Amino acid sequence: MKSYQKLTTPQPAACPVEEEGVASMPAGRGKLAPWWVGSGLLVAAVLLSTITVWVLRQVSGGWLGPTPPPKCLLVPESHRFDCYPEKLVVVTQELCESRGCCFIQSPPSAEGKQGVPWCFYPPDFPSYTLESLNQTALGMVGLLVRREKAYYPRDIKMLRLDVEFETDTRLHIKITDAANPRYEVPIDVPRVMKRAENPIYSLNFSWDPFGMLLQRRATGTVLLNTTVAPLIFADQFLQISTSLPSSYLYGLGEHRGSLLHSLDWNTLTLWARDVSPTETFNLYGAHPFYLLMEEGGDAHGVFLLNSNAMEVALQPAPALTWRTIGGVLDFYIFLGPDPNMVIQQYQQVIGFPAMPPLWALGFHLCRWGYGSSNGTWQTVRAMRNYQIPQDAQWNDIDYMDGYRDFTFDSQKFASLPSLVEDLHKHGQHYVMILDPGISSTNPHGSYWPFDEGLRRGLFLNTTQGQPLIGQVWPGFTAFADFSNPDTHQWWLENLQHFHAHVPFDGLWIDMNEPSNFMDGSEDGCPPGDLDSPPYTPAVLGDSLFSKTVCASAKQKASVHYNLHNLYGLMEAKATASALIQIRGKRPFIISRSTFPSQGRYSGHWLGDNRSQWKDMYYSIPGLLSFSLFGIPLVGADICGFSGSTSEELCTRWTQLGAFYPFARNHNTQNEKAQDPTVFSPAARTAMKDVLLTRYSLLPFLYTLFHRAHLQGDTVARPLFFEFPRDVATLGLDRQFLWGRSLLVTPVLEPGVDSVTGYIPRGTWYDFYTGSLVNSSGEMMKMSAPLEHLNLHVREGSILPTQKPGTTTEATRGNPLRLIVALSSSATAWGDLFWDDGESLDTFEQGSYSYLVFNVTQNIFTSTILHASTEATKVIIDTLRIFGVQKPPSKVLLNGQEKPFSYLDNQVLTVSDLGVNLSQGFSLQWL
């Protein structure tokens, strides 16, 4: 990577930096030259670009048109910011120049991909001027004025700039209409009371044209430079661009692709949509947050708190353009400086994820097409018969009567209450699906959910004030308005009625983009700027109401145009509240559509994938991206949802899926079954073994979720989070870590008995045997027969594990087994969070135990920092210590000699410790 500072002009002198690292009110106005001017490197690029254009004109016989003005030729291709991003328009010179922009045709890009824009902003395109800037208690307030109209209707002439230095590592910048209130996202964000005292960033301004330049004080790295293209702020078109300090950018969901985004003219659209995960499509959720790795291993993040339809254009400069069609520009910038800290800081704004119940971390089984409750029950019994771990049984929409919410088929699913009772007797749980579309065609008085929702006025309405009717699984449907608090009460009452008959434990909320089998409604959508705005981002289907409801639909909080991307979040919030009131325990919810702060209420699965090898691979960047988004409880449908799996694919996918934070095998109707019991003995055993491995690691996984809930740590983690200065890790997305300690290297292709994976620098240990692997930071080929998943433990860590049972309830009572992986200096550290696994707010109420494990100078110590009665029910039975270089002569437990074993691969094992978890102890080897 090159330092991006080398590509920028000197800092603007107009707004000098004070000692505490924030901008002061300048004495006079200044101009910041266009950022591509003044750099020797880019001047050379300009000359090359000019020569190239001239040569192409000669070769093409003039098809490129007349020679552009010199100011246009000054702009290198990689730095051309699109002035005509309309997806469905063939841009001509006349159209382009009508906007006051430069037009230079480029040769078509390969394979029809988006390429260099033909129409782009000239260096002198009119923008806003910073007219005034005044200090406030928390930062600054400024006035921005545009003197020349831009080209979208209802241009806003005067904008208010608010800058708040919220913490030393968090900056808040908001740009909105100076005269009139605008829609803002209705989620809770922290309000600071005082200005940061020692920020690790500095902020400068260009006055005319207006621009911001944000730098990291320690390195001088320019993190944001918005002078690269004009700011546009019209009523339904808001656009701001920035340079980027590197090309290592992640986040911006929900999309299918590699973890590391391509900046090769890549546009990512954010508009919740029901579609099977496909590359380039906007998918189920919207997450306008990115993480960027800088040269040297520092990291920062940027969050645009905006819920309108949006696209983010990436280009190879490197640079980025935010383009949204409503709301305000409300940015939070997180300075890290390491990637783990960036994600923690992001969650300090959007909220930390909920602590899941322990059973949520067990193995879940589902399919659409069991056909009956007895068919479902038969699968549960087969799992028990083979003693394969399972904590939850699910049903898809086939359990319902006519696909109507809050009903079950009295013929095919007559024994459903008995099935749920049986699950509970065996320490298992039941989860069923719910959709937000409420059947609207039943005779009056026959379907309470619709009748009562209609009476209370709880559905999305048309512009005429009547319930908007679309079509989903039950036929014609109305859509619950979860932005209305009264809807939450109605939702609760419906769930209470159903729970009285079928005492479910968790809920799966699907189709909540919201999905609609029609475009808009049964009557289409009315003409107007909400359903047909002046600019429509590059959404699948080319309209905002494609396979969803009309953007003009009325909701309690605002129009659907503003709230669409929040629909799944608002439903999850209502569902979590209802589950807490019904069960009095931690709620378990999995949602398809998501938005920032969703982790406070639900987890997520990656949608309707396919039984293909590439889908298995794509699940890894998918789950790692949601770790960045503050939704750690995430996974993909193991073995694939649609299509027919193979035994090999399902075995490999079960091995990978056993290490999804949320592990569920799910299958569609009319395909052969794919639960572990239906395969050959060899495959079934391989699946059982890896699920038992997962269950043995539940104490470690549960502790990771506690740390996520407490401070925003990630659970499934990209390798570069732990090795940010190792550039080889920045593009890795075929492996991942649990926490900082456990490296997972799955097989992702057919017909192989080995896998090549990256082992970061240091000492690692085989999870199963404790054998040592020393790496200088290199790719290694590892044996991987069909029954084996490669797992490695990082030096210096201690993993709490447990003898596995076939449910989390059975596992909880089993003895603990601690794995110690000594560092090169013979030290190690780990921790354990332990509570009853289901009660609300155990940490907040002090009803938990927290232990810290430490090794130094051949002494292992277990220290209890907080204790509860739950810990008295479990013992620590075994200690396995990897990397003990010399055979000990004796081992002492609290000073008393204990028998031990020592193997040639330097593994020391001490069994039958019999120490209660609630008691601290020490173990020494001499």
Side-chain angles (χ1 to χ4, degrees):
M1 288 182 285
K2 284 190 176 291
S3 170
Y4 211 66
Q5 286 178 273
K6 295 175 184 176
L7 301 186
T8 60
T9 59
Q11 296 177 37
C15 198
V17 179
E18 293 183 339
E19 286 185 9
E20 64 268 26
V22 297
S24 64
M25 179 72 177
R29 299 189 180 181
K31 279 205 173 193
L32 184 64
W35 72 303
W36 50 77
V37 178
S39 163
L41 181 62
L42 289 185
V43 168
V46 170
L47 289 172
L48 183 60
S49 174
T50 306
I51 293 167
T52 302
V53 169
W54 182 86
V55 169
L56 281 171
R57 286 178 195 286
Q58 308 311 308
V59 172
S60 66
W63 72 272
L64 291 176
T67 303
K71 67 178 182 180
C72 297
L73 292 173
L74 273 174
V75 185
E77 286 190 350
S78 64
H79 299 73
R80 292 177 184 172
F81 289 83
D82 200 344
C83 177
Y84 220 113
E86 281 80 352
K87 180 183 176 185
L88 299 179
V89 176
V90 177
V91 183
T92 64
Q93 183 165 352
E94 183 180 11
L95 284 173
C96 178
E97 291 178 352
S98 71
R99 292 187 171 182
C101 289
C102 296
F103 185 81
I104 300 179
Q105 283 179 269
S106 301
S109 58
E111 302 173 10
K113 291 183 179 178
Q114 182 181 354
V116 180
W118 291 6
C119 183
F120 58 93
Y121 297 105
D124 58 353
F125 190 92
S127 186
Y128 286 85
T129 300
L130 179 56
E131 288 288 317
S132 65
L133 188 66
N134 296 297
Q135 299 286 338
T136 65
L138 298 177
M140 289 174 278
V141 61
L143 179 68
L144 309 181
V145 176
R146 175 179 276 282
R147 290 183 171 78
E148 294 185 45
K149 282 186 67 65
Y151 45 83
Y152 284 105
R154 297 182 300 283
D155 223 9
I156 296 171
K157 285 185 62 177
M158 290 193 297
L159 302 176
R160 176 186 170 110
L161 168 71
D162 284 288
V163 177
E164 293 185 354
F165 305 102
E166 293 196 339
T167 73
D168 289 345
T169 56
R170 185 173 84 227
L171 176 64
H172 186 190
I173 299 172
K174 183 158 78 171
I175 302 173
T176 187
D177 189 332
N180 300 295
R182 291 179 61 81
Y183 164 77
E184 297 187 28
V185 182
I187 66 172
D188 296 330
V189 291
R191 300 293 177 202
V192 299
M193 304 307 293
K194 66 173 188 174
R195 177 179 178 142
E197 294 180 359
N198 296 295
I200 66 171
Y201 50 84
S202 63
L203 181 65
N204 286 274
F205 295 97
S206 164
W207 286 72
D208 185 11
F210 165 72
M212 297 176 287
L213 189 138
L214 177 69
Q215 290 177 280
R216 185 180 298 282
R217 292 184 67 196
T219 61
T221 303
V222 176
L223 308 182
L224 300 176
N225 179 353
T226 69
T227 67
V228 297
L231 167 66
I232 296 179
F233 201 122
D235 183 37
Q236 290 181 273
F237 186 88
L238 292 69
Q239 179 176 278
I240 190 168
S241 302
T242 178
S243 64
L244 299 171
S246 87
S247 298
Y248 293 99
L249 184 139
Y250 314 83
L252 298 173
E254 182 177 5
H255 297 94
R256 166 184 275 208
S258 57
L259 180 64
L260 176 64
H261 285 302
S262 166
L263 270 59
D264 187 16
W265 305 107
N266 181 21
T267 297
L268 302 168
T269 306
L270 280 63
W271 183 247
R273 168 68 193 242
D274 172 7
V275 62
S276 294
T278 305
E279 298 87 320
T280 76
F281 290 178
N282 48 294
L283 302 182
Y284 311 107
H287 292 273
F289 167 82
Y290 71 77
L291 171 76
L292 188 137
M293 293 300 297
E294 305 157 29
E295 181 179 11
D298 287 340
H300 71 274
V302 177
F303 171 42
L304 173 55
L305 180 51
N306 181 294
S307 62
N308 290 89
M310 181 189 307
E311 59 193 19
V312 185
L314 308 174
Q315 63 192 75
L320 173 151
T321 296
W322 298 96
R323 207 178 280 138
T324 183
I325 60 171
V328 301
L329 297 176
D330 191 1
F331 289 102
Y332 289 86
I333 301 102
F334 311 100
L335 275 288
D338 74 53
N340 291 291
M341 295 171 72
V342 171
I343 302 306
Q344 290 175 345
Q345 292 155 12
Y346 176 40
Q347 291 173 92
Q348 287 167 7
V349 170
I350 63 171
F352 295 125
M355 184 69 187
L358 179 63
W359 66 267
L361 306 185
F363 182 60
H364 301 247
L365 198 52
C366 184
R367 79 163 301 172
W368 179 19
Y370 284 120
S372 68
S373 48
N374 287 340
T376 310
W377 210 337
Q378 187 176 346
T379 300
V380 173
R381 289 179 175 132
M383 291 286 285
R384 289 179 193 156
N385 182 53
Y386 288 113
Q387 296 183 301
I388 300 171
Q390 184 190 1
D391 259 82
Q393 180 60 52
W394 297 39
N395 278 124
D396 207 320
I397 56 175
D398 47 331
Y399 81 88
M400 298 178 183
D401 182 10
Y403 299 134
R404 291 187 294 270
D405 277 355
F406 314 113
T407 68
F408 67 94
D409 187 322
S410 60
Q411 303 298 315
K412 296 176 181 175
F413 281 81
S415 62
L416 184 58
S418 300
L419 165 61
V420 175
E421 181 182 7
D422 178 68
L423 288 168
H424 291 165
K425 283 181 179 176
H426 286 84
Q428 295 172 302
H429 300 81
Y430 182 69
V431 180
M432 85 277 185
I433 197 170
L434 279 180
D435 295 336
I438 303 298
S439 176
S440 62
T441 56
N442 309 279
H444 182 72
S446 67
Y447 186 51
W448 190 87
F450 178 75
D451 293 341
E452 191 63 15
L454 187 65
R455 187 183 73 79
R456 300 187 199 179
L458 304 180
F459 299 122
L460 271 66
N461 285 335
T462 66
T463 54
Q464 304 304 308
Q466 298 300 312
L468 182 148
I469 302 300
Q471 186 174 11
V472 200
W473 294 112
F476 290 112
T477 55
F479 297 85
D481 177 11
F482 291 104
S483 78
N484 185 345
D486 295 340
T487 305
H488 293 214
Q489 178 62 29
W490 164 85
W491 193 245
L492 167 65
E493 291 168 20
N494 279 293
L495 287 168
Q496 285 173 327
H497 296 158
F498 191 75
H499 192 269
H501 299 285
V502 181
F504 56 85
D505 302 290
L507 288 170
W508 172 21
I509 52 177
D510 191 15
M511 306 289 285
N512 54 356
E513 291 74 29
S515 176
N516 184 0
F517 296 165
M518 297 176 160
D519 289 344
S521 77
E522 62 177 343
D523 300 316
C525 296
D529 282 346
L530 294 178
D531 292 302
S532 303
Y535 180 81
T536 300
V539 296
L540 177 63
D542 300 322
S543 83
L544 296 183
F545 53 83
S546 177
K547 296 296 177 278
T548 188
V549 300
C550 298
S552 58
K554 294 180 177 179
Q555 297 188 235
K556 178 78 171 181
S558 187
V559 289
H560 191 73
Y561 180 90
N562 293 326
L563 300 178
H564 174 83
N565 281 340
L566 298 172
Y567 194 91
L569 170 65
M570 290 178 166
E571 185 190 14
K573 190 173 182 180
T575 307
S577 173
L579 273 175
I580 289 169
Q581 292 179 72
I582 291 168
R583 299 183 69 246
K585 297 174 182 178
R586 282 176 227 163
F588 171 72
I589 300 158
I590 294 295
S591 175
R592 190 166 74 181
S593 190
T594 59
F595 189 80
S597 79
Q598 187 97 19
R600 296 171 59 187
Y601 311 106
S602 85
H604 172 65
W605 99 104
L606 296 173
D608 295 339
N609 61 6
R610 304 165 189 85
S611 296
Q612 297 176 6
W613 289 91
K614 74 168 186 175
D615 287 63
M616 179 167 62
Y617 153 66
Y618 276 128
S619 72
I620 300 177
L623 75 93
L624 295 178
S625 291
F626 275 87
S627 292
L628 271 57
F629 300 148
I631 306 176
L633 189 63
V634 60
D637 285 344
I638 295 170
C639 302
F641 172 69
S642 66
S644 187
T645 194
S646 68
E647 181 164 289
E648 182 189 13
L649 174 61
C650 199
T651 303
R652 292 301 195 189
W653 208 328
T654 303
Q655 290 168 342
L656 167 60
F659 286 84
Y660 293 158
F662 164 59
R664 180 187 71 160
N665 177 317
H666 181 40
N667 190 10
T668 190
Q669 61 179 350
N670 303 322
E671 294 287 352
K672 62 184 181 183
Q674 63 183 36
D675 63 85
T677 69
V678 303
F679 294 103
S680 70
R684 186 173 64 237
T685 300
M687 295 180 194
K688 175 181 175 179
D689 287 349
V690 78
L691 290 173
L692 287 170
T693 298
R694 177 190 178 89
Y695 274 62
S696 75
L697 283 159
L698 283 172
F700 175 57
L701 180 61
Y702 193 64
T703 300
L704 291 177
F705 269 96
H706 166 68
R707 297 176 72 88
H709 170 64
L710 184 64
Q711 61 191 38
D713 283 8
T714 53
V715 176
R717 190 172 300 177
L719 272 69
F720 74 83
F721 269 49
E722 290 300 315
F723 304 92
R725 300 197 186 323
D726 182 351
V727 294
T729 66
L730 296 178
L732 295 180
D733 59 8
R734 300 173 70 87
Q735 300 166 269
F736 58 96
L737 293 158
W738 266 12
R740 63 178 302 275
S741 307
L742 188 64
L743 176 61
V744 183
T745 307
V747 171
L748 301 174
E749 51 194 28
V752 298
D753 59 6
S754 65
V755 63
T756 300
Y758 187 75
I759 307 295
R761 185 181 186 86
T763 300
W764 296 80
Y765 299 91
D766 183 286
F767 170 79
Y768 309 98
T769 66
S771 294
L772 180 150
V773 178
N774 272 320
S775 175
S776 60
E778 56 198 295
M779 299 297 293
M780 290 190 177
K781 186 175 181 179
M782 295 168 266
S783 176
L786 188 60
E787 69 277 7
H788 185 70
L789 171 70
N790 277 276
L791 298 173
H792 289 89
V793 185
R794 186 179 179 183
E795 64 172 312
S797 56
I798 299 175
L799 305 188
T801 74
Q802 201 163 18
K803 180 183 177 183
T806 55
T807 64
T808 53
E809 183 177 291
T811 302
R812 272 185 60 78
N814 288 341
L816 286 166
R817 302 163 169 175
L818 305 182
I819 296 175
V820 178
L822 293 179
S823 70
S824 55
S825 56
T827 60
W829 185 93
D831 61 345
L832 172 66
F833 177 81
W834 192 269
D835 63 8
D836 69 6
E838 63 178 10
S839 294
L840 294 162
D841 302 324
T842 56
F843 177 78
E844 291 77 5
Q845 296 175 7
S847 303
Y848 68 95
S849 293
Y850 181 68
L851 290 77
V852 168
F853 309 118
N854 196 58
V855 172
T856 184
Q857 296 180 333
N858 292 0
I859 301 174
F860 172 97
T861 56
S862 173
T863 305
I864 298 163
L865 298 186
H866 195 277
S868 70
T869 55
E870 288 294 325
T872 62
K873 304 172 185 176
V874 183
I875 63 166
I876 298 175
D877 181 62
T878 305
L879 205 57
R880 294 176 70 209
I881 305 168
F882 300 164
V884 178
Q885 295 185 2
K886 297 178 182 177
S889 57
K890 59 181 174 179
V891 171
L892 304 176
L893 173 65
N894 293 333
Q896 301 296 311
E897 198 161 339
K898 289 287 292 183
F900 64 91
S901 68
Y902 181 82
L903 301 178
D904 291 343
N905 64 348
Q906 301 184 345
V907 175
L908 169 64
T909 303
V910 188
S911 303
D912 302 320
L913 294 175
V915 179
N916 196 285
L917 186 60
S918 61
Q919 300 170 337
F921 71 93
S922 67
L923 185 137
Q924 183 177 16
W925 57 99
L926 304 170

